[in-house]
Amino acid sequence: MNNRNSKLNNRNYYLSDIALPEAEDIFFGECYILDVIKSPLSENLTLTESLGRVTADPVWASTSSPAYDSSAMDGVAVRSEDTIGASETNPLKLIIGSNAVWVDTGDPMPDNFNAVVMIENVIEENETSILITDPVAPLQHVRPLGEDIVATELILPERHTITPPDMAACAAAGLSQISVIGKPKVAIITTGDELVPLGTNVKSGDIIDSNSVLLKGLIAQWGGEPSTLGPIDDDYTKIINCVKSALDRFPIDDDYNKIINCVESALDRFDIVIINAGSSAGRDDHTARVIAELGRVLVHGVAIRPGHPVVLGIAGNKPIVGLPGYPVSTALTAEIFIKPLITTSAGNGHQLIENQIPAIITRKVNSQMGEDEFLRVKLGKVGNKTVATPLQRGAGVIMSLVRSDGFVKIPRFSEGLDYGSQIMVNLNKTQQSIEDTIVCIGSHDMALDLISSRLKRIAPHITFASSHVGSLAGIRAIQNSEAHMAGSHLLDPDTGIYNMSYIERYLDHVPMKLVRLVGRIQGLIIPKGNPKNVTTLTDLVRPDVNFVNRQRGSGTRVLLDSQLKELNIPNENINGYHREEFSHLSVAATVQGGNADAGLGIMSAAKALDLDFIPVMDEHYDLIIPDEYYQSTLLQPMISLINSPDFRESVDALGGYDTQDMGKIIAEFNY
């Protein structure tokens, strides 16, 4: 092994940590200089297989359409000069076979006939004669040969993405096959000792290989042909085993040179090779070493978040990219560095940002200096402005990809985004879908998740997007016209009434409705069997009990503080009081995972994760809705839904709810 490789046997420290534009210039520039982004060989497909593919060559018509002069109507073929003077008051008589011939739509025109009288203007006298009540001009109601397509005419240019009308035009032009650009073949090698294939019974320490599913879908969506090699352990023998099963070339062996040969074979077989995970600088991170052994590492470490430790290289005159293992990092770096390779190779062009719209950010966002951050957001049209709510950050939060409507790029030398500032959002949804989104900001409740699902049954075009930031933040969102509605369960300790005093205090400028969603039970969520024997809130001060709290501004936090004050329990006496989660399900999951002995939340969350529950008190969870939105066509399907008996039964089945007044207007505020 040469000196370079012996050095690489040590830990793989970052070879670079550079700005995104520079990394793109280096990587794509090298790819283009070496001409490694080539369109695969063309292939002939049947028309029915060609949808969405890109033409490799110009497509020319082989026959004309129509291929003969044909009738455009049901009726009789005539000579136009024989119809002069015909009218409803003076019908003309024609003889079948002599100066009239019956025709149906699409029939060839008989010789020496040049027009068609529609059946509506024909009176049949007998088998041999007819009367016509309307004259026709030459070629009236006739489709002449080549009216639509003329043989040898250009139907589709090269590098054109084929649509259903394109397929129909090719069929009409006499074509049964079409030459398209072949899809670039992409190898996906997923690595990690903890990974198990989809469908495996998961045990402690296992992680399902969801990244291969994600990458296969993205690559297919972009026009590539993905193949998965893995998941495999961070172990050279396992790598050989995986590559052998895919390439059927080398025996299992832990010899490093055999591994290199196997991967080189993969490079011969594929146009692009992705190694997912193992791209960082840890003990079991081998990606940079493998790429360096096979070819050249161009970039290792890009100043972006998420996706910092991406590895970009060339091996076997093919692009080989090491993507970070966290799913959000995987998706982002694949879009930045893999998508352009595929779309260019497949003939679809090189464009990362497809559509941008301006929006107003609904929360202050702090960002780390020195890295471009790609922040995913949920969008909605509230009044005359588009609002963007930041989704949960973190490279491992795959649900941020599911919930995202787009992302905003925070420049590397910015400290973040100020609340209310205008941003440009790179869309992954249509503009219309944004306008058809109900924005609900505020407290979390599982009934909201049920609304999101069931609403699609009655209004498939409408999306219900709820952001769980707490009741007070929801009220502020209504105050600033950033949401159509807010979920709230804020208790006024002085009156014992929920929500009304807060509306009067903060929302005294807009006509408003307070709509009851549910009554529900708040209590202590505890592990199954209650191993710590927690029975009341007073047990939270015990040194052996660890608590998990909700975030400041949430109704549950307000309720807890009110109860602790009544019990004269100082906050600082509770282990975990300052540990915060943003939803009832997150609190329940923390307890289920053994990281807390108790958390305050709703019964339905405890039931969902099969945990025990100790009731503390009943409360009201309401929806605060400005009048202009309550009456809108956007919200009407949701209003109908929460007033339906079937929906109430579904919420009751979650446990811990009182749905008797669901949908009822509790109070109206007219200012």
Side-chain angles (χ1 to χ4, degrees):
M1 186 174 293
N2 62 36
N3 184 55
R4 179 197 66 176
N5 294 333
S6 64
K7 289 181 180 178
L8 283 168
N9 279 330
N10 298 323
R11 290 188 62 180
N12 301 317
Y13 294 103
Y14 291 127
L15 306 182
S16 60
D17 184 12
I18 63 176
L20 175 58
E22 184 181 350
E24 291 176 313
D25 288 345
I26 292 172
F27 180 56
F28 294 126
E30 190 75 7
C31 287
Y32 297 142
I33 289 171
L34 297 176
D35 196 24
V36 302
I37 308 300
K38 302 174 182 177
S39 294
L41 296 175
S42 63
E43 55 180 322
N44 289 325
L45 297 179
T46 65
L47 283 180
T48 54
E49 297 173 322
S50 67
L51 182 64
R53 299 296 293 272
V54 177
T55 55
D57 303 296
V59 179
W60 309 95
S62 63
T63 62
S64 297
S65 176
Y68 48 82
D69 291 346
S70 64
S71 173
M73 297 287 177
D74 294 339
V76 290
V78 297
R79 286 180 286 271
S80 64
E81 60 267 25
D82 294 339
T83 69
I84 296 173
S87 68
E88 291 185 5
T89 58
N90 184 34
L92 290 182
K93 186 173 185 175
L94 299 177
I95 305 302
I96 298 297
S98 175
N99 53 2
V101 176
W102 290 108
V103 290
D104 294 324
T105 301
D107 284 349
M109 289 294 291
D111 290 343
N112 301 318
F113 289 77
N114 65 356
V116 173
V117 178
M118 294 189 299
I119 191 69
E120 296 91 328
N121 298 322
V122 176
I123 301 171
E124 190 172 1
E125 282 194 321
N126 53 50
E127 292 184 358
T128 60
S129 66
I130 60 173
L131 298 174
I132 63 171
T133 61
D134 196 40
V136 288
L139 295 181
Q140 188 170 348
H141 305 315
V142 173
R143 296 191 67 208
L145 183 151
E147 176 192 55
D148 186 12
I149 299 170
V150 178
T152 73
E153 178 183 352
L154 177 67
I155 305 300
L156 303 173
E158 60 183 296
R159 298 297 173 119
H160 174 82
T161 302
I162 299 169
T163 67
D166 297 335
M167 296 163 61
C170 290
L175 303 169
S176 60
Q177 289 190 325
I178 192 167
S179 177
V180 300
I181 294 174
K183 294 184 176 183
K185 295 178 172 58
V186 183
I188 304 167
I189 303 173
T190 54
T191 67
D193 296 342
E194 70 283 4
L195 295 183
V196 295
L198 188 67
T200 303
N201 290 327
V202 178
K203 62 181 185 299
S204 179
D206 288 344
I207 296 177
I208 295 172
D209 180 20
S210 59
N211 277 2
S212 65
V213 178
L214 171 66
L215 286 169
K216 286 185 71 174
L218 289 173
I219 289 164
Q221 186 179 65
W222 296 334
E225 184 178 309
S227 296
T228 302
L229 313 180
I232 52 177
D233 292 344
D234 296 317
D235 175 288
Y236 287 125
T237 301
K238 298 292 179 64
I239 295 173
I240 293 172
N241 191 34
C242 174
V243 177
K244 175 182 179 294
S245 66
L247 304 175
D248 195 25
R249 179 167 176 177
F250 292 100
I252 298 176
D253 197 319
D254 61 359
D255 182 89
Y256 184 73
N257 290 324
K258 294 286 181 67
I259 298 169
I260 294 297
N261 289 336
C262 285
V263 180
E264 284 177 331
S265 299
L267 286 166
D268 289 338
R269 183 179 171 189
F270 297 99
D271 300 302
I272 302 167
V273 175
I274 295 171
I275 304 175
N276 186 220
S279 65
S280 192
R283 183 179 56 191
D284 294 324
D285 293 323
H286 308 301
T287 298
R289 178 188 173 196
V290 168
I291 294 175
E293 185 70 24
L294 295 173
R296 287 179 295 141
V297 172
L298 302 174
V299 174
H300 186 188
V302 179
I304 58 175
R305 175 178 298 235
H308 184 226
V310 65
V311 187
L312 309 172
I314 300 289
N317 208 37
K318 303 285 177 66
I320 181 166
V321 178
L323 301 180
Y326 281 123
V328 181
S329 299
T330 296
L332 177 65
T333 50
E335 184 161 7
I336 294 174
F337 297 110
I338 302 297
K339 180 181 179 181
L341 300 180
I342 294 173
T343 56
T344 301
S345 180
N348 293 321
H350 176 179
Q351 187 177 19
L352 172 62
I353 299 174
E354 297 176 347
N355 191 16
Q356 288 188 329
I357 63 169
I360 302 298
I361 196 75
T362 62
R363 291 207 305 270
K364 180 178 174 63
V365 177
N366 294 318
S367 186
Q368 182 171 320
M369 291 278 287
E371 294 181 326
D372 288 316
E373 180 174 3
F374 293 80
L375 176 72
R376 298 191 183 267
V377 296
K378 190 70 182 174
L379 297 172
K381 188 73 175 289
V382 181
N384 60 1
K385 65 182 178 182
T386 301
V387 296
T389 300
L391 293 172
Q392 187 175 357
R393 295 152 97 178
V397 186
I398 196 169
M399 284 303 294
S400 69
L401 300 176
V402 176
R403 299 186 176 111
S404 167
D405 291 325
F407 67 84
V408 56
K409 181 180 177 182
I410 303 175
R412 63 190 305 235
F413 295 116
S414 167
E415 294 183 353
L417 303 172
D418 290 330
Y419 163 75
S421 60
Q422 182 167 297
I423 57 174
M424 295 302 296
V425 178
N426 302 282
L427 286 181
N428 55 32
K429 301 286 178 67
T430 65
Q431 177 71 50
Q432 186 59 52
S433 70
I434 305 306
E435 295 181 1
D436 290 336
T437 297
I438 298 173
V439 179
C440 177
I441 296 179
S443 175
H444 172 248
D445 188 86
M446 293 180 66
L448 298 180
D449 300 330
L450 204 55
I451 289 175
S452 179
S453 176
R454 293 295 177 85
L455 189 59
K456 287 293 184 182
R457 295 184 183 180
I458 60 175
H461 65 291
I462 293 179
T463 297
F464 184 87
S466 59
S467 179
H468 311 144
V469 294
S471 298
L472 281 174
I475 287 177
R476 283 194 294 271
I478 295 291
Q479 186 181 49
N480 296 314
S481 300
E482 295 168 349
H484 298 111
M485 53 192 289
S488 180
H489 59 116
L490 288 168
L491 173 66
D492 185 334
D494 296 330
T495 65
I497 297 175
Y498 281 86
N499 299 315
M500 290 193 188
S501 64
Y502 293 89
I503 295 174
E504 292 169 347
R505 186 185 314 166
Y506 296 108
L507 303 175
D508 60 354
H509 61 297
V510 177
M512 202 79 54
K513 286 181 171 55
L514 183 65
V515 179
R516 177 64 36 81
L517 187 61
V518 290
R520 62 186 192 179
I521 304 173
Q522 284 267 17
L524 290 171
I525 299 173
I526 55 177
K528 199 73 174 175
N530 194 7
K532 293 290 181 73
N533 195 29
V534 173
T535 58
T536 67
L537 290 175
T538 57
D539 289 320
L540 299 182
V541 299
R542 286 167 32 194
D544 64 326
V545 174
N546 290 312
F547 182 69
V548 57
N549 207 349
R550 289 292 306 280
Q551 81 277 18
R552 294 180 63 182
S554 68
T556 300
R557 179 74 163 258
V558 172
L559 172 64
L560 174 67
D561 290 345
S562 173
Q563 293 291 300
L564 294 179
K565 184 176 180 181
E566 285 188 16
L567 295 170
N568 199 28
I569 297 176
N571 299 341
E572 58 269 20
N573 289 1
I574 298 176
N575 294 327
Y577 176 85
H578 296 290
R579 177 176 183 173
E580 300 178 345
E581 294 292 344
F582 281 78
S583 74
H584 294 284
L585 281 175
S586 296
V587 169
T590 302
V591 173
Q592 185 191 49
N595 294 313
D597 302 307
L600 194 64
I602 55 177
M603 178 185 287
S604 56
K607 183 178 178 182
L609 297 187
D610 194 28
L611 298 169
D612 284 349
F613 183 81
I614 300 171
V616 172
M617 68 178 299
D618 295 336
E619 67 169 8
H620 295 148
Y621 181 93
D622 300 326
L623 302 176
I624 302 170
I625 310 176
D627 278 3
E628 65 172 309
Y629 303 132
Y630 185 87
Q631 305 294 342
S632 69
T633 55
L634 178 63
L635 260 65
Q636 283 310 299
M638 188 212 73
I639 300 297
S640 298
L641 176 68
I642 64 176
N643 280 285
S644 66
D646 287 345
F647 184 74
R648 292 175 186 175
E649 289 179 7
S650 299
V651 174
D652 283 331
L654 296 175
Y657 286 114
D658 175 4
T659 61
Q660 181 177 356
D661 292 329
M662 179 178 281
K664 181 179 178 181
I665 298 176
I666 302 302
E668 296 190 60
F669 301 84
N670 299 309
Y671 300 105

